[in-house]
Amino acid sequence: MNTQVSPSPQFYLTAPAACPYLAGQMERKVFTHLVGPRAAEMNDLLTQGGFRRSQNIAYRPACEACRACVSVRILANEFEPGRSMKRILAANAEIVSATGPAQPSTEQFSLFRRYLDDRHQRGGMSDMSALDYAIMVEDTHVNTRIIEYRRREPGAGLGVVPKGELLGVALTDMMSDGLSMVYSFFNPELEKRSLGTYMILDHINRTKALGLPHVYLGYWVKGSAKMGYKTRFQPQEHLTARGWEVFDPSTDA
């Protein structure tokens, strides 16, 4: 009997479930496990092929009658912020960020709960506990980092680890061709700051500084209001049946 473990990932298909983005639609997903010494390499390949990571699972839509979910990545080196985005950067000039290992904290979870209770009261994550949050952050076999965004304390100098109020958090995978924003959340009471947009702009700048080309934003769903913000960051590519292609915003009508 051959007991050798196959180096190739094994893929599985979920049962149909109600689509969280489009009313009346059913979704299915194909998924595999990201474990072992090749997990980071596999995460790169699968993300470039339209998969997303959640803990140690990589998945992508496999719906029978719908192709609305489209993988999106920003072309970081070609991106230039417009007027509204420059205003957002200026409005948040006092924010400082720090990158650390994928480790949860009570402070992060408190902000996470405030965000969920305000933005996603009926979503699949609405009942997440502190343990669930810790698993979401820590259960990774790839190069994952936590980026914390804080209000700069008066008198804090450069090179000092920021200790001001926590305003936002991003769980981010460091990949060979850029950064993949796995999940991010922020203080929902600071709506005028547009912190979600600010964190994406920060990831674009970080990717440029690394000399890498892409920021992966996950899936865009045309017709879903909660996904509409993703097409604001131009230029960007969408994964089609022909591969990654530059998206023409004029077609998003």
Side-chain angles (χ1 to χ4, degrees):
M1 182 176 64
N2 184 6
T3 59
Q4 183 176 359
V5 177
S6 171
S8 300
Q10 303 298 306
F11 291 90
Y12 308 91
L13 190 64
T14 65
C19 176
Y21 302 114
L22 299 177
Q25 296 286 348
M26 301 296 288
E27 71 165 1
R28 300 189 78 177
K29 295 175 182 176
V30 61
F31 69 95
T32 189
H33 296 280
L34 290 170
V35 294
R38 295 186 59 210
E41 175 188 355
M42 190 60 60
N43 187 48
D44 275 17
L45 292 173
L46 291 175
T47 301
Q48 292 160 10
F51 280 71
R52 290 289 285 166
R53 184 182 72 80
S54 176
Q55 299 175 38
N56 66 357
I57 290 175
Y59 67 90
R60 68 170 297 171
C63 306
E64 296 177 0
C66 180
R67 296 293 181 270
C69 292
V70 179
S71 294
V72 173
R73 66 185 186 188
I74 302 167
L75 298 176
N77 292 325
E78 301 176 37
F79 176 84
E80 292 295 336
R83 287 184 180 180
S84 64
M85 291 183 181
K86 287 180 179 178
R87 286 196 293 268
I88 290 171
L89 289 170
N92 292 290
E94 68 183 274
I95 292 180
V96 290
S97 61
T99 304
Q103 295 178 349
S105 70
T106 301
E107 188 181 24
Q108 290 170 18
F109 177 68
S110 177
L111 182 62
F112 178 68
R113 281 291 353 153
R114 290 167 66 188
Y115 176 78
L116 290 184
D117 292 343
D118 184 84
R119 298 295 182 93
H120 302 284
Q121 294 180 2
R122 299 180 181 179
M125 303 173 73
S126 60
D127 295 329
M128 286 181 65
S129 66
L131 177 58
D132 295 326
Y133 175 75
I135 292 172
M136 181 180 82
V137 173
E138 294 178 326
D139 194 2
T140 174
H141 291 251
V142 305
N143 187 9
T144 304
R145 293 291 182 267
I146 281 278
I147 304 175
E148 293 187 341
Y149 297 86
R150 296 179 180 273
R151 198 189 304 269
R152 186 189 298 275
E153 291 183 319
L158 296 176
V160 177
V161 178
K163 295 295 185 183
E165 178 190 357
L166 183 65
L167 303 180
V169 176
L171 184 65
T172 302
D173 285 348
M174 319 296 286
M175 297 173 45
S176 61
D177 68 331
L179 302 181
S180 177
M181 298 185 70
V182 177
Y183 195 79
S184 59
F185 54 94
F186 49 86
N187 186 335
E189 298 174 6
L190 303 177
E191 186 173 355
K192 291 184 178 180
R193 282 185 175 269
S194 299
L195 290 170
T197 296
Y198 173 77
M199 288 194 285
I200 295 176
L201 293 172
D202 178 69
H203 277 69
I204 294 171
N205 289 333
R206 287 171 177 269
T207 302
K208 286 183 178 181
L210 292 169
L212 298 174
H214 302 128
V215 176
Y216 289 86
L217 290 184
Y219 300 117
W220 170 67
V221 182
K222 187 174 182 178
S224 172
K226 67 175 67 175
M227 292 290 191
Y229 72 93
K230 295 188 179 183
T231 56
R232 295 177 55 213
F233 300 87
Q234 300 291 334
Q236 63 181 231
E237 292 180 326
H238 289 190
L239 185 59
T240 73
R242 296 176 295 276
W244 288 99
E245 296 184 325
V246 176
F247 173 66
D248 180 1
S250 67
T251 64
D252 180 24

